[in-house]
């Protein structure tokens, strides 16, 4: 048992346009070198493009649905037993599910060559909204890996 106190989650201010804490956390993950205004411009531009692509009049709802579609439920963790290391499938905590989905979405948006971050993010969000694209593939690969190692689930701790 740890002697230290459990760290408290910090409250983030809701973003000024949509009044959403989730969107603020997403912007904080996109932000590099403390440039919040650049991150806001990228996210708001991407949300506007997303709303046009999926023909939605509520960009925030479309964003939340796209993010929900990307959240994994299972992952594998390495567990050393005896001399062997097993990949043990475990369920993911809600905060981590959200964090992984955001991280993957941003990673694959940045990886789109020849496009601006705003355009890449809008494409990735639209793909996630439609249950396709690289972020969804990553989620399915994670689930497939957990399913393949289901035999080691009894090693869960």
């Amino acid at each position: 048992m740890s002697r230290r106190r459990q760290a408290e989650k910090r409250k983030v201010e809701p973003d000024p346009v949509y009044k959403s804490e989730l969107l603020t956390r997403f912007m904080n993950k996109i932000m590099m070198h403390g440039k919040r205004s650049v991150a806001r411009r990228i996210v708001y531009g991407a949300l506007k493009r997303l709303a046009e692509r999926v023909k939605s009049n509520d960009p925030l709802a479309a964003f939340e649905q796209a993010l929900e579609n990307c959240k994994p439920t299972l992952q594998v963790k390495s567990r050393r037993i005896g001399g062997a290391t097993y990949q043990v499938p475990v369920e993911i905590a809600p905060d981590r599910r959200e964090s992984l989905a955001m991280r993957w979405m941003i990673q694959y948006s940045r990886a789109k060559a020849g496009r601006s971050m705003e355009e890449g993010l809008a494409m990735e969000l639209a793909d996630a909204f439609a249950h396709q694209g690289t972020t969804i593939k990553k989620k399915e690969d994670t689930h497939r890996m957990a399913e393949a190692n289901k035999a080691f689930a009894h090693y869960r701790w």
Side-chain angles (χ1 to χ4, degrees):
M1 178 96 102
S2 176
R3 291 175 187 267
R4 294 191 299 173
R5 290 185 302 126
Q6 184 71 23
E8 300 121 25
K9 282 272 185 202
R10 286 192 206 155
K11 273 302 246 185
V12 291
E13 297 267 327
D15 75 291
V17 176
Y18 295 101
K19 310 289 188 259
S20 166
E21 289 181 12
L22 178 70
L23 204 55
T24 301
R25 283 197 301 274
F26 190 69
M27 282 179 204
N28 288 345
K29 282 196 181 294
I30 284 183
M31 183 170 48
M32 297 177 93
H33 307 294
K35 302 205 173 200
R36 186 176 303 276
S37 61
V38 174
R40 275 192 183 145
R41 193 169 347 120
I42 289 168
V43 171
Y44 291 147
L47 285 179
K48 191 184 300 182
R49 288 180 187 209
L50 171 68
E52 291 167 5
R53 285 200 181 158
V54 299
K55 301 188 177 32
S56 169
N57 55 359
D58 186 10
L60 184 63
F63 167 76
E64 287 173 350
Q65 184 58 49
L67 196 64
E68 189 61 40
N69 293 345
C70 295
K71 290 181 183 178
T73 54
L74 293 171
Q75 70 178 10
V76 291
K77 286 198 169 191
S78 296
R79 178 90 202 265
R80 189 167 171 85
I81 287 128
T85 303
Y86 297 107
Q87 296 287 312
V88 181
V90 293
E91 285 188 26
I92 307 176
D95 290 344
R96 180 157 169 79
R97 292 179 65 205
E98 194 172 88
S99 182
L100 281 172
M102 288 180 187
R103 187 182 315 154
W104 293 341
M105 195 167 285
I106 293 165
Q107 173 188 346
Y108 293 121
S109 299
R110 285 195 176 119
K112 292 194 185 301
R115 303 197 186 281
S116 67
M117 179 61 186
E118 181 182 311
E119 196 175 332
L121 184 59
M123 286 175 61
E124 199 60 46
L125 284 167
D127 285 348
F129 186 81
H131 292 282
Q132 56 192 18
T134 47
T135 308
I136 297 292
K137 185 178 182 319
K138 174 74 171 176
K139 171 190 163 185
E140 289 169 353
D141 289 347
T142 305
H143 283 188
R144 201 173 300 116
M145 179 86 83
E147 188 67 29
N149 290 294
K150 195 166 53 172
F152 305 124
H154 65 282
Y155 288 130
R156 204 173 311 158
W157 63 101

